[in-house]
Amino acid sequence: MYTLSQIDTLPGSFDTLFEQSLPSMEAGTFNWGYYGSPADNDAKKNVIRGQYEQFLSADIPVVKVLLWEKDGHPVQVAACNTDPAENDYIVFQYALYGADAGGSKSWLHDLSYVEATRDFLRDQLGMLGFIIRCNHNSSLFNYHMSKGFASNIYDVSLAGVEDLSESGGATTATIKYRYL
């Protein structure tokens, strides 16, 4: 069973979630250049921890940090804010994905996870859907654009692609999920 909650302090599992997410981040889902190209994994963890702490310290209702647990085991933490242009959509700015108690990340493809996320965002936060921004054509992009197993839960659309390569950045995709 999946549970979601809004949290006001970093979970004790933060370091583990970061460490389990780092291989995907290093494989191209995250551009460390935006954060001064931290030299080692500890510096990278401190950068991400700092981003989460900024979200946690923001005393405004449009900023949230959410924690997902599967059978009581933390599997995801995300720093989010309400989209300024569409305030009934939440934007996942940072997300860390860890393994479940059995050591698997297959929960990412579990319809119950998708339904629990929908129920919380829609019923608890009043959202029509969510938005993510990620590196275009990364593994994270491919995962989000191919969640066909949940086609009865939401519509997925590519809302835009921004090429930031001229300024040293990556090509970024904006993906929008609208709950049905």
Side-chain angles (χ1 to χ4, degrees), residues 21-175:
S21 295
L22 188 58
S24 294
M25 295 166 85
E26 293 293 315
T29 63
F30 198 81
N31 187 340
W32 293 106
Y34 291 127
Y35 302 92
S37 300
D40 59 30
N41 292 348
D42 284 337
K44 291 173 183 176
K45 181 171 41 179
N46 288 335
V47 164
I48 299 302
R49 179 184 303 280
Q51 296 302 311
Y52 275 86
E53 288 173 347
Q54 285 181 13
F55 275 76
L56 288 166
S57 66
D59 193 21
I60 52 175
V62 299
V63 175
K64 301 175 183 335
V65 177
L66 307 177
L67 178 67
W68 285 251
E69 293 179 311
K70 179 183 177 192
D71 300 325
H73 183 83
V75 292
Q76 180 180 353
V77 63
C80 330
N81 60 276
T82 304
D83 184 47
E86 298 180 78
N87 62 11
D88 45 8
Y89 281 82
I90 198 159
V91 181
F92 290 94
Q93 300 290 351
Y94 300 95
L96 299 175
Y97 305 93
D100 62 20
S104 172
K105 287 187 180 179
S106 65
W107 60 268
L108 282 162
H109 304 281
D110 185 347
L111 189 58
S112 295
Y113 158 73
V114 174
E115 291 171 331
T117 301
R118 174 204 57 204
D119 294 348
F120 183 83
L121 295 179
R122 185 187 63 197
D123 301 342
Q124 300 298 315
L125 300 182
M127 298 291 125
L128 295 178
F130 64 94
I131 296 170
I132 69 151
R133 291 183 182 90
C134 60
N135 289 342
H136 191 249
N137 291 327
S138 67
S139 62
L140 188 62
F141 172 84
N142 293 332
Y143 164 75
H144 279 283
M145 291 303 292
S146 66
K147 289 171 78 173
F149 67 92
S151 61
N152 63 330
I153 304 288
Y154 42 60
D155 285 328
V156 180
S157 62
L158 181 58
V161 176
E162 185 177 11
D163 185 356
L164 303 173
S165 58
E166 287 186 21
S167 61
T171 300
T172 305
T174 300
I175 302 170

